[in-house]
């Protein structure tokens, strides 16, 4: 459980009363009570306020705010305020501002604006964190520390260049080893001195759209910048720990945000928290996948939903209102996948600057008589009623999908075979297929143990890190079902090709050889034709993007290509390896194929759906202390009928018991104890 | 009347004989006579010619040109030549070149290229203006001064940064007041010292496409840059006035050009002049609206059509020829809306550089036997025949549309709710509705008195400046009809939200509350459904972009939304307020609705169409000395039949009288005295 | 013949064994033999390897590589390694890196990365070339020198600015002559001192997409940069010649690459070589045109196919595999148009960096059992069998199309009339028409003698250089047929308009005057209507982009426009001039018109097709020593029947004789001696 001081689903969010006057804050307190809001994230962007100059600190307003919250029994998620540096700092210490991808020195402005290797930023961000911890570690309402905010963005300044050389030195030891790892013999880019290395950006090796001349250098720069920001996090966390020994520390992540290796970050966080901002047209299964990924960051430990909007956003092109019921439904979707908090950005709207049209519990009108507030208040009361029932419960899954940030970087940096290949989309295709079949699914790192799973899918596993292929072999040998796809097993951790035939280190377990890789124009497609009887899979399905031209070398051919000069070559194979099966999907199939395919795999492995699928209805389960809680979420605008089975289950939200065919209203949900 | 020295529609345009030899200029003089050209704008880009170095001036060629024009009875619009600085100046005084939006220091090149806060530019531009005035103020053919050319573009250099701080100091007095106005508590951007302020551009608070983190700062930077360029204009105008006491001074504006607040500029101009460059697919009503706006800059005073092309342009993607008759038709369209001149860019084509494929009265072939020249010559003769009949006549309108540059900046800088919202397009929708009904319409500033109008429409009046809401209340109280729309009344002059419920200060007069604002995807639409009998308005119409979810608080609901979860909520309301009515249009309707809507409003207020509408035929009227002149312009390619009514009117162009049904040929027009 | 040391079609390509170990190179040697590979291009990117620091050189690895190749009878195309500078050089001599179009100083990275006016680059590139020549000029396998690699890209640094002023001084002599040539009176851009001149880029006169304020300046900058890079080539070539007297020197060109004036370059090359990289959707006739252009660079002399991919590329958006047979077919297409080599990029794939997914003879799997290797080996054996039969044979054509890089620059820099006008596309339209009729066609420069041709087509000959119009007049006078189009004859070599009526200096020979030029929207079209009987031409055809409004002044009107206000005006004219005809095509016609048009022209001039056309089958001919070799290439995927005529011809690839109707398999070809 995150914090025994507040043993229920925390309900609240970002709150910036330094932007308004004391009477308004009084009114906020009144309205918080109406909505059962019990936590506020404060001090997120107050650095300039609490440190008005290099030499002076002023905590008086923060004291006042914390006192007021304390008086009103609102717990506090206390931010360290370092998500944006003060203007005086940018002027006095220009090293705190970044140099951008185009090589331009930035001036004061924005947020995510500090160079992670700036001496001034590192010094003063650690110092402010320490001062806050020193002052507030005994504050009674403090339930969690919130370091900085939404870390992200890269810098290309001379301090970063210097740090990058040190980072590379630490990784490779000698310049010869670096030249080999970066393959600098190509185009004669051999480095003879560490000082010759410059950051890869639009002035050197890269150009817009993730393009690069040297994948290995660009890959390492991403690792390095992710590490540099993580060091900034750790400097603050360590400073906090000098004074605040027990309160958990986190920072808010951003789902599939590309720039940071969150699996590496999560090791340093006490609890994962994240900000969930789907658009009106984001697939529900994409949001579900992202929740699962955030849960997977710490191997299934419950996470915090740190931010979501009560209604609309401001930064999308078209900022739709959340339809009635959707805020509640999506809040429970987070819980259904492992969240133990429901928190908003923001509790009250700003009246100036760029986020003033971002939704809030308290809107510009300032009173409680709004649709949005009413929905928030109703949810608040429900969460009180749920108490600690669901807290710290876990999702149990027999199926897992492997996700890897470094692999994503490598795939997206690749020059060829196709710009149409998007790693996250390919992963989502497989997640969506399992999701639509109500199969509980974990999103796991390449470092995760596979022992607890029966089915592991690793889409586009282009980069094979040391040990991964061996782990897969052991997993299959012991009876597991492993699935991978085209453009897998190609390179090592430095993006150097494994010679001797694709899919390299996975070739043995898969029993195939991929001789060529054809890239299809957007107007082209091929077909995966399953000719032999194979459960529900029989038939012809569309595929595209890439088509591997493979040869079975021991594997059984389950499907063939339907057209082009490689018509008749294998498109889907399975290799018996020890007790298990290793599948290779040689192209990017349509959803229809994938649903049939994963159903068949689950059937073989005895992985049961949580419920029989109903279109548009999501089903998940969390368990603790021998009890299971089934979430049934109707994402349709209309009523849906769900088959619950014969055994009655307790209805946590509505009371009573449920079984058999149940009609769920549009956007409504059930939580059932079974 | 602009100038008693030339008491007819001035006919001529930009003329750059410094680009060719004396015999060619002789030939020009011959051809000017054939076309009745009687004015030439000279010296527009001659700075390098007349000031060949920092220390020397050489007016010999300009003397020669002016002598030759004088001998040929061609009046002169004398430019101050400061629209582009000389190359030597850029080299010797690098402060004259700008720093662009990306933060890049520009080198010599282009035009609109001088930093408005450059000490060297300010010094030498005022000096050259003074020297010209000193030398030529008694030149007999001088009828107007033309300061610089098409002012525009912003600069972000350190001189501008310094001047911006001074500008802000003058506006806000204290750094505390500035922090409040700019809402810098957001993201901890508090300034403790003026020197911490940097210009908002791509290196600080903004990014491409008018996006910004701080609307208030970006808004002020636009004000500041508009003011800076205006100061440059005033420096030159003041220098001219030292010697030339009576000759009017202007600079050529550019219609709805976004970067300068032309209402503020117009106060400093003796006469408004502007450059009209519609494309082949620009709606005729858009050009009409722009003419009306230019007329409105000085509250209805006649303006100069300073530039238009005789045929094609060069800078559009596809530079169509003006079809036969179109140049004449569009020239009279300018006159029909208040122009007292018909002038071209350019009288003779350049043979090098980027404007050599821009149309001219005298084309590259060099003789008069071209379609373009023939059309110009025919129009020249007509204008001689019209004499001073129309000069200084005024447009009388009972309907007005409010237009505001600062509101436009604020709307377009807004982060959310929708990128699809374009201020000028929304204004044009209403203008087009009135235009299509032959309702005379003024375009007015928020400072204009509303007393003379019966109907005032303020589309998307997002920013309410001090005094505007009160003026509207008085206007309605006394019986006026006021119309405003969704996304109105939201912020004050600093883009700070007026709390307590949208539409803020307009809420009282409108009798409604807008609880939420839904942004629609481009693929989505809703409907405005008028269920109760209301003149011609009954029916269902499409709407989109934004849908305000409003509650009537005293206002009568005239129409409801037709779909989505807010189906049945008000989409169109009217509030009785004193003697008048205040309407709220909660979404962006289609043209069909707007035509019916404005017809109904005009009918109620007794505002009569000038003539019964004929599709594609524009009708306007100018009056003076008790006489009215009706313009009937057939923009169709085909004949059109127009009902003139029973009372015979004198036909100014063709002689005789006209009444009843009249057939107008395609692209032909009538000017009728009634 | 290129080199008597290797008297057959050279077969091999780029080879970079410095990227892998000695055993791998041994394996390469084994596989080269299997594929009959007899030439390797080495040392292309080895500068950092052979010159590890400013003071030291190390040829030991290159020695080893050359020894190994020598032992295996593989000839060598020896590159000078200067296509990318070493990292140490960028650090020690920052002048070697470029300043880009945006004005940004680049850092180390990429290739094409050296400033052509960098003193350090010029010094060290000439020095390394000289050292290589000194060391290897007696190397037995050396058959050709390969200077640098794919020269390209422009620089805008201060060294280039200084050199540009010197270049301009040399061209124009005085600043007054320069001001006139650049038309700087426009916008007052007069230069009084050479030092005021700055390179035209995004910080001065130009902006993205080839847009400029001053066409003449931008045109000269392109000439200057092309010349600067050519000087770099010459410095290296001269250094080589100090030691290597007889071995030919080349550099690899890139077809219609826009930035370098290859006709000027070709004069300095001993043999033209080029890199051919069509996409899967590049029209076959476009590749054919480019081969013809490369052949035309040195007036018909055979050229080298220096690079092509055995299968896929890596840098296209979608990198399709070459279908079975296509690599062979396209190799022979090069030969069919004049190539005397068939060479690949690359013989073995890299395993790191951005070209690792570019096809190679030896793929990542590393053995010979791949489709790609098998096809390469089969072709290798065929080329051995062909021996020297085709070497040094020539294409004889009676039809020619004029192509000019400077004209292309001027057309594409033009501001107006239409962004849709693309020079290369217009040229290709005419080439395609001749190609589809099996008419042998040369691509020639404006300097080429026209004496040997009966038909000369100069599409969009916008810029008329001194002497060209006179040459055309003489050509027509003596009986030639000349064709030109809209937007021709407009400007001189400095992009200054020839006044007195378009098409300027071509007006006399064409007998027409183009009064106006209409630009059509993409949605618009007009028609070319041939009303009088004129061979196969009778009918109505679509046209667009630009429509010249012309008047026949002596020319006969063959077709008229079909619509718009210029309906009935001439769209196609022919002028009898001396013994010949001069045609003017006033708009951009569809392909159907052009096929009929060129057929008719050829019929009149007695220019016979090589064979009767079959759709998708290309036919060319090379001749030497009184023998002709007919190439018949079936680009269709399916079988095609070709009519060879009655006279039996020897089948060079399959043996035996062929005549009459012959069925060619999809992607198959014939070479027939007749």
């Amino acid at each position: 459980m995150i914090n025994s001081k507040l043993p229920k689903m925390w309900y609240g969010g970002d709150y910036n009363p330094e932007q308004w006057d004391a009477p308004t804050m009084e009114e906020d307190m009144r309205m918080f009570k109406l909505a059962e809001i019990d936590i506020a994230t404060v001090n997120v962007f107050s650095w300039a306020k609490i440190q008005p100059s290099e030499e002076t600190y002023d905590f008086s307003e923060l004291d006042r705010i914390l006192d007021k919250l304390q008086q009103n029994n609102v717990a506090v998620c206390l931010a360290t305020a370092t998500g944006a540096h003060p203007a005086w700092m940018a002027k006095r210490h220009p090293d705190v501002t970044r140099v951008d991808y185009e090589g331009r020195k930035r001036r004061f402005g924005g947020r995510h604006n500090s160079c992670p290797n700036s001496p001034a930023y590192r010094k003063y961000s650690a110092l402010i964190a320490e001062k806050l911890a020193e002052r507030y570690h005994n504050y009674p309402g403090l339930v969690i520390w919130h370091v900085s905010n939404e870390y992200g963005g890269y810098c290309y300044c001379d301090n970063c260049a210097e740090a990058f050389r040190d980072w590379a030195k630490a990784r490779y030891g000698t310049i010869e080893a670096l030249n080999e790892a970066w393959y600098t013999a190509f185009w004669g880019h051999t480095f003879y001195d560490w000082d010759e290395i410059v950051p890869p950006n639009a002035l050197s090796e890269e150009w817009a759209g993730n393009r690069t001349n040297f994948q290995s250098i660009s890959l390492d720069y991403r690792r390095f910048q992710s590490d540099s920001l993580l060091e900034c996090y750790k400097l603050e966390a360590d400073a906090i720990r000098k004074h605040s020994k027990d309160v958990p520390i986190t920072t808010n992540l951003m789902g599939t945000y590309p720039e940071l290796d969150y699996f590496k970050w999560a090791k340093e966080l006490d609890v994962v928290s994240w900000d969930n901002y789907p658009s009106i047209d984001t697939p529900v299964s994409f949001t579900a996948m992202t929740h699962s990924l955030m849960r997977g960051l710490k191997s299934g430990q419950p996470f915090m939903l740190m931010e979501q909007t009560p209604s609309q956003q401001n930064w999308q092109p078209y900022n739709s209102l959340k339809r009635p019921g959707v805020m509640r439904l999506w809040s429970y979707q987070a819980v259904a996948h492992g969240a133990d908090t429901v928190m908003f950005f923001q509790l009250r709207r700003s009246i100036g600057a760029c986020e003033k049209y971002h939704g809030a519990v308290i809107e510009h009108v300032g009173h409680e008589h709004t649709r949005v507030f009413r929905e928030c208040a109703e949810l608040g009361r429900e969460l009180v009623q749920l108490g600690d029932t669901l807290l710290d419960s876990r999702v149990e899954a027999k199926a897992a999908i492997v996700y890897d940030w470094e692999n994503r970087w490598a795939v997206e940096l690749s020059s060829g075979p196709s710009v149409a290949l998007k790693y996250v989309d390919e992963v989502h295709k497989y997640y969506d297929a399992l999701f639509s079949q109500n199969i509980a699914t974990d999103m796991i790192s390449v470092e995760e143990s596979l022992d607890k799973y029966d089915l592991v899918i690793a889409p586009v596993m282009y980069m094979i890190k040391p040990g991964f292929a061996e782990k897969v072999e052991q997993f299959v040998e012991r009876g597991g079902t492993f699935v991978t796809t085209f453009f897998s097993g190609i390179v090592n951790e430095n993006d150097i090709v494994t010679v001797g035939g694709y899919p390299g280190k996975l070739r043995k377990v898969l029993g195939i050889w991929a001789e060529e890789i054809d890239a299809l124009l957007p107007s082209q497609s091929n077909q995966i034709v399953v000719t032999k009887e194979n459960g529900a899979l029989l038939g012809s399905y569309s595929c595209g993007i890439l088509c591997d031209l493979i040869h079975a070398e021991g594997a059984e051919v389950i499907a063939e290509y339907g057209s082009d000069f490689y018509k008749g070559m294998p498109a889907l194979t399975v290799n018996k390896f020890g007790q298990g099966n290793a599948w290779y999907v040689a192209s990017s199939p349509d959803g229809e194929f994938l649903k049939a395919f994963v159903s068949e795999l689950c059937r073989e492995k005895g992985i049961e759906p949580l419920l029989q699928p109903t279109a548009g209805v999501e089903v998940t389960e969390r368990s603790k202390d021998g009890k299971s809680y089934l979430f049934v979420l109707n994402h349709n605008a209309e009523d849906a009928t769900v088959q619950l089975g014969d055994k009655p289950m307790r209805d946590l939200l509505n009371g009573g018991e449920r079984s058999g065919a149940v009609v769920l209203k549009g956007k409504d949900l059930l939580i059932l104890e079974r």
Side-chain angles (χ1 to χ4, degrees), chain A residues 476 507-512 553-556 573-577 580-583:
Chain A
V476 180
R507 194 169 165 193
K508 184 176 150 203
V509 73
L510 292 163
I512 56 128
E553 299 181 325
E556 184 185 1
T573 60
V574 58
N575 194 41
K576 300 268 170 208
F577 188 87
N581 289 320
W583 292 80

Side-chain angles (χ1 to χ4, degrees), chain A residues 67-85:
Chain A
D67 285 351
K68 179 62 65 182
L69 291 168
Q70 180 64 20
Q71 292 158 19
N72 287 277
N73 295 314
V74 178
V76 162
C77 169
L78 186 54
T80 60
T82 58
H85 52 246

